[in-house]
Amino acid sequence: MRIANLHVTPDVVLAPMAAVTDLPFRTVCEELGVGLTITEFLSANALTEGARKTMDKLTPSLNGRPFGVQIFGREHDLMARAALMGVEIGASLIDINMGCPAKRVVAGACGSALMNEPHLAQELVRAVREAVPAHLPVTVKHRAGWDERHLNAPEFACAMVEAGAAMITVHGRTREQGFSGKSDRAIIRKVREAVPANVPVVGNGDVLTIDDYFRMREETGCDAVMIGRGALGNPWLFRSIRERLAGRPDPGPPDVHERARVFDRHLDYIVSHAAPKKLVHELRKAVAWYTKGLRDSAHVREQAFHVLDPVQVREIATRYFSSLMQEKKFPAAIASDVDKVSREVA
Ligand SMILES: Cc1cc2nc3c(=O)[nH]c(=O)nc-3n(C[C@H](O)[C@H](O)[C@H](O)COP(=O)(O)O)c2cc1C
């Protein structure tokens, strides 16, 4: 996919997810083959006030890999200044969140509420566009519409492009749906058909498997697919997509050794990058993702949630994975379990 001058390959993007797509998670997904990652949404107000918690989330990808910074807000000057903070850390693009359904965000008339104010939304895109260097794409992520009576995604996307957006991502649910029901591929197709061909449209929602990926591409004509929940505990989905797009066979789900290796690496990144106060919490989260659906995993999660020392959390998980590695039946069993779990998470 080409976003203005930025080349993204393969055509798959990790969805921004609050409290999930931190630097460790993004790095693991990058290493397994995702084309682009985006920070979780960062409040323009908080960034420009220098709020510590938000500033900590403004992190560039490692090793110069491309990444986007996602911001939200509704005041031009703050959005422009926040975008510049993204530029300063080397962002490859600035994405504007116009899809968040959360009550506290919508109450401030930000996120998906902006779909009800296309003129203001356009002004925000223009303000950010003018603030950042000309070569840097400004992109917008939004939903199908506010509710089923207001499915304005195609017109809205065109208005954003007219204001300067260089890529549109559509999550095919309405704000009213939140995360219920299904992501509507028909509306994503309509957006693809409405937006000029040189502006990529990214389809998003409910992609949990490699088959879902290709279905999204075929049914919507989208240029790339954004994956969120399907990558939780299963970053190997990006490896499968990368290999298939390169014309090679899908290596399929990981065996236990590979699972343990990536889990361990993820923990290393957490140890190196998490704020000390959040370390145990972040380690437990990773334990939960990588063990969900595996034999006796509820037990290991419970153990991990009852210790306060990060070293102990890691030891518990390492012991657990070692015990799995001694099981002969493992690879086939885990493959079906992981598939089942991916569907449950959604
Ligand atoms: C825990 C969580 C946090 C999210 N945070 C953000 C966010 O910060 N910015 C955003 O644009 N979307 C956010 N989303 C929405 C996702 O980016 C994505 O649009 C949605 O989950 C649908 O894709 P999926 O079915 O592949 O998960 C979040 C979703 C989840 C589950």
Side-chain angles (χ1 to χ4, degrees), residues 4 23 27 29 44 81 132 145 155 229 235 238 245 276-277 287 305 315 324 334 338:
L23 186 63
T27 307
C29 293
R81 280 165 50 205
V132 306
E155 307 89 87
R229 291 165 297 170
F238 296 122
L245 289 177
K277 262 166 88 177
V287 171
F305 277 74
E315 277 170 7
L324 288 185
I334 202 170
V338 167

Side-chain angles (χ1 to χ4, degrees), residues 5 31 60 69 101 153 156 172 233 246 280 290 299 318 343 346:
N5 291 326
E31 289 177 349
V69 166
F156 189 79
V280 171
Y290 285 86
H299 183 58
T318 305
R343 297 199 170 276

Side-chain angles (χ1 to χ4, degrees), residues 88-106:
E88 274 161 28
I89 64 152
S92 320
L93 60 80
I94 303 295
D95 189 64
I96 305 180
N97 180 308
M98 299 193 185
C100 180
K103 278 204 184 104
R104 73 182 167 88
V105 173
V106 168

Side-chain angles (χ1 to χ4, degrees), residues 15-18 41 70 97 141 171 179 204-206 227-229:
M17 288 186 283
F41 72 156
Q70 191 188 63
N97 180 308
K141 177 169 181 276
H171 175 194
F179 285 89
N204 170 235
D206 304 340
I227 298 179
R229 291 165 297 170

Side-chain angles (χ1 to χ4, degrees), residues 12-35:
V12 60
V13 180
L14 175 65
M17 288 186 283
V20 175
T21 48
D22 54 10
L23 186 63
F25 191 91
R26 279 162 42 207
T27 307
V28 165
C29 293
E30 286 164 354
E31 289 177 349
L32 285 166
V34 78

Side-chain angles (χ1 to χ4, degrees), residues 152-165:
N152 63 339
E155 307 89 87
F156 189 79
C158 290
M160 296 310 107
V161 171
E162 195 196 306

